[in-house]
Amino acid sequence: MNTKNIFFSLSFALSGGAATAQEIPKSLSNTVWLQQGYDRILTIKDSTYSYYNINSVTCKPMIDGVFKDRFKMVSLKKGALIVNPGGIVHYNFTALDQLPANCTREARKELSYPKNFQVFWETFQNNYAFFKERKIDWKAIYDEYFPLVQNAKTDKEFAGILKEIVGKMKDGHIRLDLPDDLKEKPAPIAIATGTVHLRQALLSDLKNTYIKELKSYNGGVLQWGFLKDSKVGYIIISDMNNFANYIPEEQQNSKEFRALYDKISEAKPPQQMFDDEIAGTEKIMKTVLHDLEGSTSMVIDLRFNGGGYETVALKLLSYFVKSKKKVISITAKTSSGFTPKQDYTLYPVEKGYDQPVYLLLGPNTASAAEIFALATLEYPHITRVGSRTSGIFSEILWKELPNGWEFSLSNEIYTDNKGKAYEATGIPVNIEMNYPRKHPDFNNSFYPNEVFKDQALDKVLELELLRK
């Protein structure tokens, strides 16, 4: 799978819901638009579009295709266009008279380190939404590092400066995609205990110890059963993607599953691919709730879920709520402020689950899985257990330096119904289990150690509260 192309697709359609195929209005033909909060340019011809990444130095085409395969029209007024890529975030554009000149010239790499640093710094200045939350003085970063950039003599030196800055941000959605010869091998993991328990082995131990009649869908993206010696249903969701019903049941847990799934998924038009994710979610959830019928409560485990498609997350949640509520608001950072606030209302499915729900969270619960958790704040029958989540909610906005290196940042602010954001802090829990924040220490905390020699494998799944 080409991960970068998927990220570019997600910039349009990570929200993933259905969109009606439609022809574009004639008034949109041969028009040019600047996207607010993303600093990208959209050009529309008769039925096709092109999408450009733009900065103060370069403007480079990023992706193109058939307009109706990508967008649904929301609003078109004089000088203002709003489209929806199939999800919860509308994209706002303002009209331009013509494509900027640097978009029409043949793209040439600008190799000056100061010029590339200037673009890097300006892009964050214009679009990054969380300097305050991450305790970063961005002007001080410029003053500290620009003299070092001016003295840099090699790509390695310049890359080292950018990596040092990114490391200070402590934002899991900020990434540098450097050339292979500049990439470093990951440093050895520092852990508090001597043994490293791997995620897959831990999950296997948990399921074998606590779950009966376990069933699995699409390589384990969703698994379900009952807690042993109880009538409590248990659902563990490892990702918020790969839910499309492409692969026959007998191959869903085979070694070939991933290659088969990716081949089919990548051949789909983008809008169809995301529609398929929602259709697959709906299909499997009917099976899950049928199999867990008669359960007295439900445990939903997101402690090992690093994200995916936010509409998959919210569709899953819709099976466990009883009323429609406004649950999330979203805005994006611009150079002069923010895009108009957008509210998202969650609607319950017709035949959903109507018993108490316990949502398991931890420091590895991230991105779209946190959006699931964020929406639960409006539903008091859902009890959150574990520890606060990772604290990275925004879509990943990919940009490019004039020298061709790519990087990403967080430009969208997700808030609850009261306007509170949880970036950097994460979604809080009702019942605190004090999980370690570092990934390997979190895994190791499930096993006995020198301090807790008689520790249960999973203190949460042994809580009496969950088994009533």
Side-chain angles (χ1 to χ4, degrees):
M1 177 184 293
N2 188 326
T3 305
K4 184 58 61 59
N5 286 343
I6 289 296
F7 276 128
F8 284 149
S9 295
L10 300 188
S11 297
F12 291 101
L14 185 56
S15 300
T20 304
Q22 62 190 126
E23 299 300 328
I24 66 173
K26 290 184 179 179
S27 57
L28 268 182
S29 296
N30 300 312
T31 55
V32 183
W33 304 88
L34 175 64
Q35 187 176 4
Q36 300 174 25
Y38 299 75
D39 286 349
R40 287 175 172 168
I41 287 179
L42 175 69
T43 62
I44 304 172
K45 296 184 180 178
D46 292 334
S47 61
T48 61
Y49 73 90
S50 295
Y51 204 43
Y52 296 77
N53 245 333
I54 188 168
N55 56 55
S56 59
V57 175
T58 57
C59 173
K60 298 181 70 172
M62 185 176 68
I63 194 170
D64 54 32
V66 177
F67 187 91
K68 69 179 182 180
D69 286 343
R70 182 69 72 174
F71 299 112
K72 180 172 68 173
M73 288 287 301
V74 175
S75 173
L76 175 60
K77 299 177 182 178
K78 186 176 181 180
L81 169 67
I82 303 176
V83 299
N84 186 286
I88 72 173
V89 180
H90 296 334
Y91 290 157
N92 295 266
F93 295 83
T94 53
L96 298 177
D97 292 333
Q98 60 186 5
L99 197 61
N102 60 343
C103 298
T104 60
R105 295 193 297 264
E106 181 180 354
R108 295 195 308 176
K109 289 186 177 181
E110 167 61 67
L111 300 179
S112 160
Y113 299 139
K115 185 66 71 175
N116 278 274
F117 181 81
Q118 192 76 29
V119 167
F120 179 83
W121 189 88
E122 288 175 355
T123 302
F124 275 86
Q125 176 73 7
N126 292 338
N127 297 122
Y128 187 67
F130 302 111
F131 290 125
K132 180 180 178 181
E133 289 77 4
R134 300 289 173 182
K135 297 179 173 57
I136 297 294
D137 182 337
W138 198 233
K139 176 62 167 58
I141 290 289
Y142 185 93
D143 293 341
E144 178 181 355
Y145 285 96
F146 189 66
L148 302 180
V149 170
Q150 290 178 306
N151 292 324
K153 299 294 190 294
T154 66
D155 285 355
K156 185 176 181 179
E157 288 181 55
F158 181 53
I161 292 170
L162 298 185
K163 285 189 283 189
E164 186 172 319
I165 295 171
V166 168
K168 289 186 174 184
M169 308 287 276
K170 293 182 172 59
D171 183 333
H173 280 173
I174 299 178
R175 303 172 186 176
L176 282 173
D177 190 1
L178 300 171
D180 289 343
D181 61 339
L182 294 176
K183 293 178 180 177
E184 297 178 357
K185 293 182 179 180
I189 298 174
I191 58 175
T193 56
T195 303
V196 178
H197 293 281
L198 299 180
R199 175 180 182 269
Q200 203 58 39
L202 169 57
L203 288 174
S204 179
D205 287 344
L206 292 178
K207 289 178 285 194
N208 290 336
T209 303
Y210 294 102
I211 314 303
K212 65 181 178 181
E213 302 174 22
L214 186 70
K215 297 182 180 180
S216 181
Y217 175 68
N218 274 8
V221 67
L222 186 148
Q223 294 177 283
W224 66 100
F226 285 88
L227 294 186
K228 290 180 179 179
D229 303 319
S230 80
K231 292 184 178 180
V232 176
Y234 175 83
I235 301 171
I236 181 168
I237 308 166
S238 60
D239 288 288
M240 295 301 183
N241 47 255
N242 301 326
F243 274 77
N245 189 37
Y246 292 147
I247 308 301
E249 186 175 349
E250 60 270 16
Q251 292 181 286
Q252 286 180 4
N253 294 300
S254 68
K255 293 181 179 179
E256 295 78 26
F257 168 77
R258 175 56 54 208
L260 292 171
Y261 187 96
D262 289 347
K263 183 178 181 181
I264 295 172
S265 180
E266 291 171 4
K268 299 278 185 178
Q271 196 63 251
Q272 183 63 56
M273 178 181 69
F274 292 104
D275 289 350
D276 291 346
E277 289 282 336
I278 298 303
T281 304
E282 293 171 340
K283 181 178 175 63
I284 191 57
M285 282 307 300
K286 290 177 182 177
T287 299
V288 170
L289 293 188
H290 176 270
D291 290 348
L292 299 180
E293 191 173 3
S295 58
T296 55
S297 63
M298 190 72 69
V299 174
I300 302 175
D301 196 340
L302 299 185
R303 291 175 295 177
F304 307 91
N305 192 314
Y309 307 149
E310 60 191 7
T311 43
V312 168
L314 293 169
K315 173 56 69 175
L316 287 165
L317 179 58
S318 71
Y319 285 85
F320 300 95
V321 300
K322 305 168 188 177
S323 59
K324 75 171 187 178
K325 291 187 178 183
K326 188 182 83 170
V327 292
I328 295 172
S329 294
I330 311 106
T331 186
K333 174 72 170 62
T334 72
S335 59
S336 58
F338 300 91
T339 60
K341 186 178 71 170
Q342 301 176 41
D343 296 328
Y344 180 81
T345 299
L346 183 67
Y347 291 84
V349 299
E350 271 191 31
K351 296 181 180 180
Y353 191 74
D354 61 0
Q355 298 300 312
V357 175
Y358 297 94
L359 178 62
L360 309 189
L361 304 173
N364 297 325
T365 308
S367 199
E370 292 185 90
I371 291 171
F372 182 112
L374 174 61
T376 68
L377 296 175
E378 288 299 310
Y379 295 96
H381 75 285
I382 300 178
T383 302
R384 294 174 303 281
V385 185
S387 291
R388 61 184 173 86
T389 60
S390 178
I392 48 172
F393 294 83
S394 172
E395 305 280 342
I396 297 176
L397 177 63
W398 279 99
K399 306 298 278 184
E400 185 173 338
L401 294 178
N403 67 2
W405 298 358
E406 294 173 344
F407 64 101
S408 67
L409 62 150
S410 303
N411 69 315
E412 295 172 347
I413 303 172
Y414 284 68
T415 66
D416 64 16
N417 199 23
K418 299 177 180 62
K420 182 176 180 179
Y422 297 86
E423 187 76 17
T425 61
I427 301 297
V429 295
N430 305 108
I431 300 173
E432 179 62 61
M433 304 304 293
N434 296 309
Y435 287 134
R437 300 304 293 175
K438 291 183 179 180
H439 179 75
D441 293 332
F442 170 73
N443 287 358
N444 287 353
S445 71
F446 287 83
Y447 295 89
N449 54 59
E450 292 181 0
V451 178
F452 302 105
K453 298 184 184 299
D454 299 321
Q455 178 165 306
L457 183 62
D458 194 334
K459 292 181 288 186
V460 170
L461 295 183
E462 296 197 3
L463 286 173
E464 186 65 28
L465 174 69
L466 270 63
R467 295 177 174 272
K468 291 182 180 180

